[in-house]
Amino acid sequence: MPADTPAVAFDPALGLAVLHTPNSTYAVRIGADGSPRHLHWGPALDAASLTDPRSPADSSFEDEAAADELAPQTGARFGPAGLRVRFADGTVGAQWHFDGHGIDDGELRLRLVDRRYPLAADLCYRVRPGSDVIERWTELTHTGETGHIVIDRLDSASWTAPPLSDYRLSHLVGGWFSEFQLQRDRLPVAETVLTSRRGITGHHASPWLALDDGTATEEHGEVWSTALAWSGSWRITVHRNPVGRATWTGGFGHEGLSWNLRPGETLQTPVFAGLYTPDGFGGASRAWHAHVRSQVLPEPDRDQPVLYNSWEATGFDVDTAGQLRLAELAARLGVELFVLDDGWFGARTDDRAGLGDWTPRPAAFPEGLRPLADEVHRLGMAFGLWVEPEMVNADSDLFRAHPDWAVHTPTRDATELRNQLVLNLARPEVEAWVHRTLDRLVAENDVDWLKWDANRPFTEAGWPGHPDPDRLWIDHTRAVHRIMDRLRTDHPGLRIEACAGGGGRVDLAILARTDQAWTSDNTDPVDRISIQHGFSQLFPAQAMAAWVTDSPNGITGRTTPLRFRFHVAMAGALGLGGDLTHWTPEELTEAAELVARYKEIRPLVQHGEQHRLTGAGGTTAVHYAAADGTEHALLAWRPATRFGHQPAPLRLPALDDQARYRDLDTGEEYGGALLRHRGIELRLPVGDHASRLIRLRRLG
Ligand code: GLA
């Protein structure tokens, strides 16, 4: 594209909108019925090649081939609707008249108004300098003065892949202990629904997907991928129709919810971001990582500290003396942040009581948290605290005082999960209370870090007395975002770690106000390899909390060497979570060495470019390269040995053929072409759970 091509343009004569990113073009044309129709999303094209006057919308018998930018539930459309509305007289669906466009600073708005009813929609698009990600959302407005309009569905955007010979869907599935498992299947000729009905993003599905024609690999091939920036319930419906088109429409809320749009009100959806890349799944991930770092994370340039968290060591059995013992040991290992986990407040001696009562438990912390916080600071570490502010135990002073604050339906039995209920943060007084409580906790205890947990989904989700109870599915999530934003603004320097019973709430919206996410309660390094592989499809390593814990692992019972546990956790934001009081002096020495080694490679892991590598016989690796290509760190793991064979050399596609590289540990020198095309010898130790860190520096 010529350098002076505008990123966003609209030609009123043709009704043609074109968005250019550095490596892709996206085009939309206003159809004959006033609805914006998809024209192109893929390699860069100039506007002239998009001006064929016959858009697909004009030529089809049914509209099967003419994909909408947001299908409005009218006309010859029989696929999933992106917008479903009901007017007071029973009329269903919108019929649009195109009312013009607006362009402002990389943002395009296509303005649609209903032909008969007081409803307007802005379909919004944004491109950012240097990024191939296109951000899309919808703003729906009741332009009348009376009555409400029922919204049964309001998606952020619908996406369309070009006609391909076949379609394959990549997405993430999982559960508690098994988050972010990458699933890659042929897309059926059907409607495939990916969804969370839980009020949180969910462990079992993530609002990210990728489509390719079935031939893309890690380093080659076209990939279209999208990610929804929302931390509550969501739904994405992928529709492969019999005539060979694949479209998908998605947004907040699951099926069956409805919202009343009041006169003058605008409902704004979350962003649904899309990315086209021709460089395989790895290329797509690197582009997403760059986007998350430049546009999403609040402080991407700050290093994530090496943290210690006491949960796996002490469970609920916390007190000042015990935590101080751990803090002293952690400080000696080079830990930079000490996090006190669950059990410090109210009557919280197990998970049956105390949630909601955010004052230190007198038996455990007779003088409050301040002595521990001060000592942790004196030891040179930051002080972090676990909270679960959206939740309440029925056995708590908070619930006894405010039973109505819990999400509930009076005529239904309330399901308790982990003995707890969800607070309805959609209620302004509950949002205000949560904010006040956290604000005070942070200020009074000099808290540098909050681990913000959310250990259960919503059930029996009513809001007694409220005329529009389904609002809570949106407004609760917005309140969570708002509180996090306010805390960050009011306490500069405060960092927040997202957590939801492991990795149950990781998405582009939560990462816009947190620094990292707890990836999984499963810290077994063998299981972590696949969990981290899935996480890395969308999110960068700096946002991926990864701990070294005890062996045998508390969840899987698997025994693994300390070095292997470290090498797996060093691929993300390193933390320690074991009971250090039981580590031998040799283990403590080795841990201190590995923490120091991590700090050396941290700039590469947290701020470099990631390449996922697959070797033979179950060996995998991640390669982190500095943006300028000078420094490289490679972490290779082989969970189980096969036949005693050494793995084949591992090819390093991120290197430069023309350059030479030195192994910083062995001093050996290699030509880049050799390492790229033949590979590097991994020389893993014998046996299961073998791993190695290789550091390379480009010479000259
Ligand atoms: C969740 C988190 C854990 C820990 C516990 C505390 O399960 O994922 O890391 O904080 O809660 O109860």
Side-chain angles (χ1 to χ4, degrees):
M1 242 6 77
D4 56 355
T5 307
V8 179
F10 186 82
D11 181 334
L14 295 169
L16 178 69
V18 183
L19 291 95
H20 293 295
T21 73
N23 303 295
S24 71
T25 298
Y26 190 97
V28 178
R29 185 146 187 244
I30 308 304
D33 66 351
S35 274
R37 302 304 177 108
H38 182 76
L39 207 55
H40 173 75
W41 182 26
L45 292 179
D46 57 27
S49 50
L50 291 163
T51 49
D52 175 351
R54 257 171 20 102
S55 84
D58 301 329
S59 62
S60 61
F61 171 66
E62 262 186 20
D63 278 357
E64 291 281 336
D68 282 282
E69 291 290 279
L70 195 71
Q73 208 193 357
T74 53
R77 297 177 174 93
F78 306 102
L83 173 67
R84 302 180 57 213
V85 291
R86 277 180 287 141
F87 299 99
D89 64 1
T91 300
V92 165
Q95 280 190 334
W96 296 129
H97 160 75
F98 179 65
D99 195 39
H101 77 285
I103 290 180
D104 183 24
D105 197 19
E107 201 174 295
L108 166 72
R109 279 166 185 266
L110 301 176
R111 177 87 177 167
L112 311 172
V113 294
D114 191 87
R115 297 184 206 161
R116 296 284 296 276
Y117 293 88
L119 185 71
D122 279 6
L123 306 193
C124 305
Y125 302 76
R126 182 166 55 217
V127 294
R128 317 262 203 171
S131 173
D132 287 321
V133 171
I134 294 166
E135 294 178 315
R136 296 182 54 195
W137 71 97
T138 302
E139 295 177 14
L140 192 69
T141 304
H142 186 322
T143 53
E145 279 162 17
T146 54
H148 61 251
I149 301 168
V150 179
I151 315 298
D152 290 320
R153 185 79 207 149
L154 176 58
D155 276 344
S156 301
S158 304
W159 298 92
T160 303
L164 300 175
S165 56
D166 200 355
Y167 293 98
R168 180 169 58 171
L169 175 69
S170 302
H171 60 121
L172 298 168
V173 301
W176 187 39
F177 294 159
S178 59
E179 293 88 337
F180 306 109
Q181 298 303 299
L182 180 61
Q183 186 81 20
R184 201 158 266 165
D185 301 310
R186 188 162 185 238
L187 184 66
V189 179
E191 293 176 16
T192 302
V193 177
L194 313 177
T195 189
S196 163
R197 304 184 180 95
R198 301 173 188 229
I200 55 171
T201 321
H203 299 78
H204 61 294
S206 293
W208 166 86
L209 64 84
L211 245 67
D212 74 300
D213 69 358
T215 65
T217 62
E218 195 59 20
E219 297 290 331
H220 301 285
E222 295 185 288
V223 177
W224 290 260
S225 54
T226 56
L228 184 69
W230 185 244
S231 317
S233 281
W234 54 273
R235 188 179 69 174
I236 299 171
T237 307
V238 190
H239 183 203
R240 178 175 184 174
N241 73 17
V243 302
R245 291 310 294 271
T247 59
W248 60 106
T249 185
F252 56 10
H254 51 269
E255 83 289 348
L257 301 180
S258 61
W259 300 290
N260 297 331
L261 196 62
R262 295 176 290 253
E265 190 188 3
T266 297
L267 190 57
Q268 180 171 344
T269 71
V271 163
F272 199 6
L275 170 75
Y276 163 77
T277 161
D279 302 320
F281 298 114
S285 294
R286 284 186 288 283
W288 279 120
H289 298 170
H291 174 76
V292 172
R293 286 180 34 69
S294 64
Q295 309 298 339
V296 177
L297 287 168
E299 294 180 83
D301 297 331
R302 274 174 87 174
D303 284 345
Q304 296 301 304
V306 177
L307 71 78
Y308 176 83
N309 178 299
S310 61
W311 173 245
E312 290 204 20
T314 48
F316 294 100
D317 190 13
V318 292
D319 59 20
T320 310
Q323 295 299 300
L324 273 179
R325 233 181 348 266
L326 289 165
E328 277 155 16
L329 286 166
R332 273 188 247 151
L333 298 184
V335 165
E336 297 156 322
L337 162 71
F338 180 88
V339 184
L340 168 62
D341 209 278
D342 201 348
W344 59 266
F345 50 89
R348 186 79 167 171
T349 49
D350 56 34
D351 65 16
R352 286 190 291 261
L355 268 184
D357 300 337
W358 300 107
T359 46
R361 187 155 56 85
F365 297 95
E367 293 163 62
L369 297 177
R370 202 58 208 234
L372 175 63
D374 289 348
E375 187 56 17
V376 164
H377 285 137
R378 199 192 59 75
L379 288 166
M381 297 183 290
F383 178 63
L385 195 60
W386 179 94
V387 287
E388 197 180 1
E390 300 155 73
M391 303 288 163
V392 66
N393 284 122
D395 185 0
S396 67
D397 293 342
L398 181 72
F399 187 73
R400 282 182 281 274
H402 299 287
D404 281 0
W405 282 13
V407 168
H408 74 290
T409 300
T411 52
R412 294 286 165 217
D413 294 341
T415 303
E416 291 194 10
L417 293 165
R418 211 193 187 208
N419 307 304
Q420 66 196 56
L421 300 165
V422 183
L423 291 172
N424 183 357
L425 268 62
R427 296 174 69 131
E429 71 276 31
V430 183
E431 177 183 347
W433 176 84
V434 169
H435 172 258
R436 216 171 36 245
T437 305
L438 294 175
D439 186 62
R440 182 178 45 79
L441 261 183
V442 169
E444 285 179 2
N445 298 294
D446 215 355
V447 172
D448 306 296
W449 176 281
L450 285 176
K451 177 178 174 188
W452 181 309
D453 209 340
N455 272 308
R456 61 154 291 172
F458 298 11
T459 58
E460 297 85 35
W463 187 351
H466 194 280
D468 198 4
D470 285 352
R471 287 257 170 181
L472 87 87
W473 295 91
I474 296 179
D475 290 352
H476 177 100
T477 303
R478 286 189 173 151
V480 169
H481 291 164
R482 241 185 335 258
I483 296 168
M484 289 179 170
D485 291 344
R486 275 183 80 184
L487 289 171
R488 292 193 84 103
T489 307
D490 295 345
H491 303 275
L494 175 73
R495 299 197 208 186
I496 304 177
E497 176 178 19
C499 178
R505 190 162 61 186
V506 193
D507 55 78
L508 295 181
I510 211 78
L511 284 183
R513 56 263 310 164
T514 57
D515 301 273
Q516 58 174 245
W518 179 225
T519 317
S520 175
D521 280 349
N522 184 346
T523 54
D524 177 310
V526 174
D527 288 344
R528 270 298 177 113
I529 291 173
S530 66
I531 292 171
Q532 295 182 178
H533 181 77
F535 187 98
S536 74
Q537 299 299 315
L538 174 61
F539 306 117
Q542 78 178 121
M544 184 176 77
W547 299 352
V548 175
T549 57
D550 293 337
S551 177
N553 185 271
I555 285 156
T556 64
R558 197 184 338 252
T559 302
T560 51
L562 188 65
R563 179 164 296 263
F564 184 71
R565 277 174 272 151
F566 258 97
H567 282 163
V568 172
M570 284 161 79
L574 177 69
L576 276 69
D579 185 355
L580 302 179
T581 62
H582 284 97
W583 289 21
T584 64
E586 293 74 30
E587 284 174 326
L588 291 170
T589 304
E590 189 178 9
E593 280 165 18
L594 287 162
V595 168
R597 191 44 68 88
Y598 176 72
K599 288 179 183 169
E600 286 166 20
I601 64 166
R602 173 162 56 187
L604 299 174
V605 174
Q606 296 194 4
H607 310 292
E609 290 178 0
Q610 185 193 58
H611 291 255
R612 296 178 293 250
L613 308 175
T614 304
T619 301
T620 56
V622 285
H623 175 169
Y624 297 99
D628 65 3
T630 50
E631 303 283 339
H632 301 264
L634 189 72
L635 289 153
W637 318 290
R638 184 187 59 207
T641 190
R642 298 247 311 148
F643 313 119
H645 293 168
Q646 264 296 328
L650 196 63
R651 292 180 179 200
L652 306 183
L655 298 187
D656 176 358
D657 271 358
Q658 311 306 323
R660 286 193 69 72
Y661 297 88
R662 176 179 297 134
D663 183 320
L664 293 183
D665 298 292
T666 66
E668 284 163 291
E669 291 184 12
Y670 305 96
L674 178 89
L675 297 182
R676 274 196 69 192
H677 303 296
R678 181 169 189 283
I680 192 160
E681 297 288 351
L682 291 176
R683 294 188 201 135
L684 296 174
V686 295
D688 294 344
H689 311 128
S691 61
R692 196 170 149 216
L693 164 64
I694 298 172
R695 298 176 306 150
L696 298 173
R697 174 169 299 154
R698 194 173 65 195
L699 301 171

